[in-house]
Amino acid sequence: MARGPALWLGPLLLVSLWASSAPASLLRCLAEHMQQFQESSSLGLSLGPGAVALPKEGWLEQPLDPFNASDRRSFLQRYWVNDQHWTGQDGPVFLHLGGEGSLGPGSVLRGHPATLAPAWGALVIGLEHRFYGLSIPAGGLDMAQLRFLSSRHALADVVSARLALSRLFNVSSSSPWICFGGSYAGSLASWARLKFPHLIFASVASSAPVRAVLDFSEYNDVVSRSLMNPAVGGSPECRAAAAAAFAEVERRLRAGGPARAALRAELGACGALGRPEDQAELLGTLQALVGGAVQYDGQAGAPLSVRRLCGLLLEGRGNGSRPAPYRGLRRAAQVVIQSLGQRCLSSSRAETVAQLKVTEPQVSGVGDRQWVYQTCTEFGFYVTCEDPGCPFSKLPALPSQLALCEQVFGLSISSVAQAVARTNSYYGGQTPGATRVLFVNGDTDPWYVLSVTQALGPSESALLIPSASHCLDMAPERPSDSPSLLLGRQHISQQLQTWLRLAKESQGRGGV
């Protein structure tokens, strides 16, 4: 089956997870931009003097429906292999799981688990998630196909990949397999250990939102707190300025006429802002812009940090000019648009719905249609701002976000609520009960509130890194890394050491 060239683009380890339309698109583009930036840095390193060989790309034939033995259809699932440090068939295997986006060769070359492999002589394998990147089954993304897209299907792929790759690379039956993943893939890593403890010896789950939730108002609670946190460059004045900026946007939208037209031009909105749904779309995109600065704070390739955003919002406030915060928000929007190479900010609900209805796989590999489908059928994750303390607009409200499931997929609101409850029942939410899982989170990351942040038992450990953003522990090391991040990575390494010593003892006793 012919495939395109292996590009050093977009593994999307840090994808936004946000489910609503335009905000999702902006955050996911942010994530893709950062991954491209980091991948290109890795490529430069890999081509330098004394560089390691490039990872190998491979394909596994997987059953389209692993739960129906009479269905003979299959698809090709992409994987990447880095065997530079592998000490041989008895060495451990670090399995890096892909999530809701394309998985590139950087998944086995930079950041953990790749940086942890040399110390343990590990084989590193990256497995792309079904229906994302180039692992899309023939037949496209219509509803008949999408019923084979779920976390349960992805876990079945992990099982069959584990067995097939063991044979392919002649891995010893006593070698421990350890799963790694970040964001949704972090949840998959923890669930792989939960559901298949005989195949997966342990898991490191970074920024893993294991609790599904319909109304995710807590996201903006964390964003609000982070904007006030001096440790990352925030302040009470910054949060107040953000609130003032959004109030000014809403004032101009209500004013209509020339004020609204000027707002559209100044913010670089793609379309007219006459309809309420288009106004909500723009306000959601602006929320995502601020949320993205917090979610990816301090990460390589991120156009805005909390410190820079607050600097823009507070610039010129001393001269008594009331719209100063709004001007700062406008400049922040320009920074993000230019960084992402976009021509304007998404503000058309109809255009968003039309794009999500496209069933042809998108070349970019971002996978918006697929991920929105998973939020409608499994996770929810609809970020709202309806709490009194939220500094942004109350729009888009939860009903308009849930309406996407109906408009795009024909799924009722009640079915989405039932799906969220079913997911938590199946996996256990924030008390999953899996042993030998380390949950790693940063307290600047809005997603940490859906993860496990305190140890649930002696073999269910958790690590909360102060002032760290989404999946930051998985990123390549940088000179600017904080002492708490360095300590966090050291903790992960020590936990691995404990597990692998346990695995060796188990090997000695004749079983894992």
Side-chain angles (χ1 to χ4, degrees), residues 301-446:
L304 283 179
S305 62
V306 172
R307 192 174 304 280
R308 186 174 184 199
L309 174 65
C310 287
L312 292 172
L313 291 171
L314 295 172
E315 195 172 30
R317 64 188 168 133
N319 62 14
S321 171
R322 190 168 67 86
Y326 163 73
R327 281 203 309 272
L329 183 62
R330 191 177 79 200
R331 289 189 60 196
Q334 290 166 353
V335 167
V336 171
I337 288 173
Q338 288 168 7
S339 294
L340 301 182
Q342 295 184 344
R343 57 184 183 85
C344 52
L345 279 182
S346 177
S347 60
S348 168
R349 172 74 170 204
E351 188 178 310
T352 294
V353 171
Q355 287 173 350
L356 288 173
K357 283 185 171 181
V358 174
T359 58
E360 289 298 312
Q362 300 303 296
V363 176
S364 70
V366 173
D368 280 340
R369 176 175 166 84
Q370 299 95 298
W371 180 244
V372 173
Y373 175 80
Q374 285 197 263
T375 68
C376 294
T377 55
E378 293 191 87
F379 303 122
F381 294 152
Y382 302 109
V383 175
T384 65
C385 191
E386 294 167 25
D387 294 348
C390 184
F392 311 122
S393 168
K394 305 264 182 268
L395 301 173
L398 182 62
S400 74
Q401 300 190 50
L402 285 168
L404 268 186
C405 299
E406 171 74 48
Q407 290 171 295
V408 178
F409 302 111
L411 299 169
S412 68
I413 290 174
S414 62
S415 77
V416 182
Q418 290 164 7
V420 167
R422 207 163 42 240
T423 296
N424 288 329
S425 174
Y426 185 69
Y427 293 119
Q430 286 172 296
T431 53
T435 59
R436 291 204 291 269
V437 176
L438 173 62
F439 289 94
V440 185
N441 288 281
D443 68 4
T444 298
D445 175 21

Side-chain angles (χ1 to χ4, degrees), residues 9 71 94 114 129 135 156 163 184 197 202 205 209 241 253 262 284 303 320 329 352:
L9 300 177
D71 189 335
F94 293 170
H129 196 297
S135 299
L163 300 174
Y184 162 53
L253 285 171
L329 183 62
T352 294

